[in-house]
Amino acid sequence: MSKASERRNYTLLQVTKALLWKALRLASLLAAISIVSFVLVSNSPVDPVQAYIGADMLVVSHEQRELIASYWGLDDPPAEQFMRWGSALLHGDLGVSMIYRQPVIEVIGERFVSSLSLMAVSWLLSGVIGFTAGVLAAMNKDRWLDRIIKWYCYALASTPTFWMGLLLLIVFAVWLGWFPVALGVPAGKLAEDVSLFDRLRHMILPALTLSIVGISSIALHTRQKLIDVLDSDYVWFAKARGEQGFTLFFRHGLRNIALPALTLQFTSFGELFGGAVLAEQVFSYPGLGQATVEAGLRGDVPLLLGIVLFTAMFVFAGNAIADILYRTVDPRMKERGTL
């Protein structure tokens, strides 16, 4: 067998081991999250039956409450409820939502489509703008542009997502009237009559809310990394040869700061989803974040647990993609056989 074949076989073996290890980590993570989440939900002060009945609480008899609890299995001991839910989960069944009266997987699928477009736009905007702002700040260190960018980032780093959403809502929707106040589509309009332009107009303010808040971390991180690179010996040697400005950055700085920026951007999936929950509440945007809040307030245990597991897989996928891209960009990680 040739050395090239041996090298390919070794690489394939390392990748297979890494994928199996990640699958094992994901399975253990989901198992731990399932147990912890169920314990927290079971000890919640929210009464699922009372939340399910809602405004009809005064006209529903005690016998009817017992029938509702029996129908949804809420009168069983928590351990038995968890075993029943876990057994169904192993067969791919996340249960039925008490709020929407639909399978949980269908509710998550419908809501995630709206949330995915919102998070994708804000994720791209925050990454591109944050990276560009960090590069400009580092290339103009201690000048007026650097001070403005740092002030902007420090101010936004401590800004709550819901406050930024309310501010944009008041200015651009209420005062100026440029964008709709809430919802994902125009109110009172049939689904087949809703155009792509209508959906984009309703998505602009929530997406801006998420992207504006998410810029600060990537910008400050990129700025500091690029400053360290520009102070390195090989960059000083390049400057001595006459290289300067963005030519110097593209030849010696971009590759060195792309790796940490890429990792930071993909590992921000958890913060992105958390921010989406608040942004969707402010703008009444019909996404997965709004469904999470409704499930928590109304005691919809199957839906809440399903969203928790889905979110954990979403964040884990972001970290895995970051690892794969890191390996692709950095050849040294291929030599170590890591993923």
Side-chain angles (χ1 to χ4, degrees):
M1 183 179 295
S2 63
K3 292 185 178 180
S5 299
E6 292 180 357
R7 191 179 300 109
R8 284 195 299 268
N9 292 336
Y10 176 77
T11 302
L12 180 61
L13 179 61
Q14 294 297 321
V15 171
T16 303
K17 287 182 178 180
L19 291 176
L20 290 175
W21 172 243
K22 284 189 176 295
L24 180 61
R25 288 176 56 191
L26 177 60
S28 60
L29 174 66
L30 294 180
I33 289 178
S34 299
I35 295 174
V36 173
S37 300
F38 193 87
V39 171
L40 293 176
V41 172
S42 299
N43 291 276
S44 171
V46 178
D47 184 0
V49 177
Q50 183 173 335
Y52 178 83
I53 297 172
D56 297 329
M57 181 180 59
L58 298 178
V59 298
V60 175
S61 64
H62 179 71
E63 291 75 13
Q64 290 175 316
R65 290 173 60 93
E66 291 182 349
L67 289 175
I68 293 173
S70 177
Y71 177 81
W72 293 105
L74 299 174
D75 55 348
D76 297 329
E80 184 177 339
Q81 294 182 40
F82 179 77
M83 294 301 296
R84 182 172 61 248
W85 176 80
S87 176
L89 179 63
L90 293 177
H91 293 85
D93 183 12
L94 292 175
V96 178
S97 170
M98 298 172 59
I99 300 175
Y100 301 99
R101 311 290 181 86
Q102 290 180 295
V104 170
I105 190 67
E106 293 183 6
V107 177
I108 293 177
E110 293 174 0
R111 293 302 185 102
F112 184 65
V113 172
S114 300
S115 293
L116 181 62
S117 58
L118 173 63
M119 290 188 290
V121 172
S122 60
W123 184 78
L124 288 174
L125 286 176
S126 62
V128 173
I129 297 176
F131 185 80
T132 304
V135 170
L136 292 175
M139 298 295 291
N140 297 274
K141 182 183 177 184
D142 296 331
R143 298 176 184 173
W144 63 269
L145 183 59
D146 180 33
R147 295 190 183 97
I148 291 176
I149 292 176
K150 285 195 298 181
W151 175 84
Y152 172 83
C153 293
Y154 290 144
L156 290 182
S158 57
T159 301
T161 304
F162 71 90
W163 186 87
M164 178 59 66
L166 290 174
L167 183 62
L168 294 178
L169 185 65
I170 293 172
V171 175
F172 294 102
V174 178
W175 290 352
L176 299 177
W178 291 354
F179 301 103
V181 176
L183 303 179
V185 295
K189 205 170 186 178
L190 297 177
E192 55 269 19
D193 296 332
V194 177
S195 64
L196 178 61
F197 178 73
D198 293 330
R199 297 183 184 276
L200 291 177
R201 284 191 72 240
H202 282 76
M203 189 178 64
I204 288 177
L205 287 184
L208 281 178
T209 301
L210 288 179
S211 59
I212 289 175
V213 175
I215 287 173
S216 58
S217 59
I218 186 72
L220 292 174
H221 186 79
T222 301
R223 174 187 177 274
Q224 187 58 48
K225 286 294 182 181
L226 184 55
I227 288 176
D228 295 339
V229 170
L230 295 177
D231 287 338
S232 61
D233 293 336
Y234 65 89
V235 171
W236 281 106
F237 178 73
K239 289 180 179 179
R241 293 187 304 177
E243 297 184 25
Q244 59 182 347
F246 278 94
T247 302
L248 180 69
F249 163 70
F250 281 117
R251 294 192 60 181
H252 303 284
L254 180 60
R255 191 177 184 87
N256 289 282
I257 65 173
L259 288 176
L262 197 65
T263 304
L264 181 64
Q265 183 69 356
F266 274 96
T267 53
S268 66
F269 274 20
E271 298 177 3
L272 183 65
F273 183 83
V277 172
L278 299 175
E280 289 178 7
Q281 280 298 109
V282 172
F283 294 96
S284 297
Y285 195 82
L288 198 59
Q290 191 180 51
T292 304
V293 176
E294 291 181 359
L297 294 178
R298 300 181 61 179
D300 193 342
V301 178
L303 179 58
L304 189 60
L305 293 178
I307 292 176
V308 168
L309 292 181
F310 181 82
T311 305
M313 295 180 63
F314 180 73
V315 176
F316 189 89
N319 293 332
I321 293 173
D323 290 342
I324 294 173
L325 292 177
Y326 212 116
R327 172 184 168 84
T328 303
V329 176
D330 191 352
R332 294 172 298 180
M333 298 192 70
K334 295 181 181 179
E335 298 176 358
R336 294 196 293 267
T338 58
L339 185 62

